[in-house]
Amino acid sequence: MGQIRVGTCSWTDRALVGSGWYPPGRRDAEGRLRHYAERFGVVEVDASYYALPGERNSRLWAERTPDGFVFDVKAFSLLTGHPTRDAVMPDGLRAEHRDPAVLDQVWARFAAGIEPLRAAGRLGSVLFQFPPWFRPGQRAEAFLQECAERTAGWRLAVEFRHPSWWEPGQAEATGALLARHGMAAVAVDMTQSLASSVPPVTPVTSPRLSVVRFHGRSTAWGTGSKEDRFRHVYGEDELAEWLPRVRRLAERTEQVHVLFNNCCGDAAVSAAETMTRLLDDGSPTQDAAAARLPRARPAPGVPPTPGPRPTPARSSSSSTSRRAAG
């Protein structure tokens, strides 16, 4: 049985900091991280999507967390084809995702920025969250191939935002594609009432890792403000639906990361605390609740564990940039 780690997508979100979850005396940068790491075993770094991570911060994060704690780091926006502001680019570079020289430098900076986490054994995975316009096809496959080449040795997790990747007729090919590159498929929980809703399937595409991200079930997904998109308080029954699925993932992978992205106030940490308790209870889950979710599609041909740390390679392709869903 693999290890199940539960946490949230950010420990520094303004709404969380203002919610009162952090106690007096532990509201500075160091105190917040230490308080969080005493309660959970994983956290997702979302700031690295908006700006390249820095080595100093990564080193401090490693120093301030206990052995066994890990950081899942979200890939920088330019590396997943999302719009990127010139102001956050290094050395005065333009945010031009089609320029191979620019991509080479950005990849190198990103790798250097998270190296202290990797060296300290604190790098859980790197999350590649692709935009809603990133659809199945030859260009997407070439893009994933390039990502795999540049990140050999990292645990990679891939979240697709276009539902066609996991629809019947495509899901098996998607699983095989990710498995070929050793990338872990990210399962998502979100409202299923929208045309853009990604189905909550749970394919296993890597023996090293599975990831489940809970986005909340707001019907304002993709249209409202950040608060509107992620405003959802998970009920215990909604979390119980996922218990058998998470446990089945743990039977097939070394680690399962369960992350809550409903970052409004303390909703994410509260859901993570509840999920941790439910998993620790070990009580039988209701088959009826589990049956409400589609069955997982195991992916064929899971590859062996990849080799050592990455060597950035020259780029020749990228996807079209537009605004991220969040």
Side-chain angles (χ1 to χ4, degrees), residues 40 81 109 164 189-190 250 283 288:
F40 303 110
R109 289 295 189 95
S164 62
D189 180 90
M190 63 180 298
S283 56

Side-chain angles (χ1 to χ4, degrees), residues 45-60:
V45 179
D46 279 358
S48 53
Y49 169 84
Y50 300 100
L52 285 165
E55 294 178 60
R56 179 179 180 275
N57 277 344
S58 292
R59 190 173 299 109
L60 288 174

Side-chain angles (χ1 to χ4, degrees), residues 56-251:
R56 179 179 180 275
N57 277 344
S58 292
R59 190 173 299 109
L60 288 174
W61 294 341
E63 292 171 356
R64 292 170 177 175
T65 50
D67 289 343
F69 186 89
V70 297
F71 295 82
D72 285 358
V73 181
K74 195 171 182 180
F76 183 53
S77 57
L78 193 79
L79 303 182
T80 51
H82 284 91
T84 304
R85 296 181 297 116
D86 287 338
V88 301
M89 294 290 289
D91 301 330
L93 292 173
R94 297 295 301 275
E96 179 49 69
H97 66 277
R98 297 183 186 278
D99 186 334
V102 170
L103 283 176
D104 285 346
Q105 291 194 53
V106 171
W107 270 108
R109 289 295 189 95
F110 184 83
I114 64 175
E115 173 57 20
L117 292 176
R118 190 204 67 81
R122 297 285 199 278
L123 182 60
S125 70
V126 175
L127 169 67
F128 282 81
Q129 183 190 73
F130 289 105
W133 52 91
F134 189 79
R135 303 187 183 196
Q138 290 184 348
R139 291 180 63 186
E141 291 186 18
F143 194 94
L144 289 170
Q145 173 69 37
E146 180 184 345
C147 289
E149 292 171 356
R150 290 183 179 271
T151 59
W154 292 350
R155 284 190 177 95
L156 290 191
V158 171
E159 178 177 347
F160 295 117
R161 285 292 181 87
H162 196 281
S164 62
W165 287 96
W166 298 117
E167 289 175 350
Q170 173 62 40
E172 185 174 355
T174 297
L177 174 64
L178 295 181
R180 187 160 65 248
H181 295 311
M183 298 172 171
V186 174
V188 300
D189 180 90
M190 63 180 298
T191 180
Q192 293 298 299
S193 63
L194 305 174
S196 60
S197 296
V198 178
V201 294
T202 54
V204 173
T205 59
S206 168
R208 307 176 73 190
L209 178 70
S210 286
V211 179
V212 184
R213 299 180 82 231
F214 286 78
H215 294 304
R217 298 183 180 182
S218 171
T219 56
W221 181 262
T223 58
S225 66
K226 176 185 175 182
E227 289 73 20
D228 292 334
R229 294 197 304 273
F230 297 105
R231 183 177 289 114
H232 182 76
V233 176
Y234 277 100
E236 191 166 314
D237 59 333
E238 293 175 322
L239 299 179
E241 293 174 5
W242 278 88
L243 293 179
R245 309 295 294 283
V246 171
R247 288 175 176 143
R248 283 200 293 270
L249 290 174
E251 290 172 356

Side-chain angles (χ1 to χ4, degrees), residues 18-31:
S19 72
W21 187 73
Y22 290 109
R26 307 199 79 177
R27 293 176 180 170
D28 63 329
E30 180 174 354

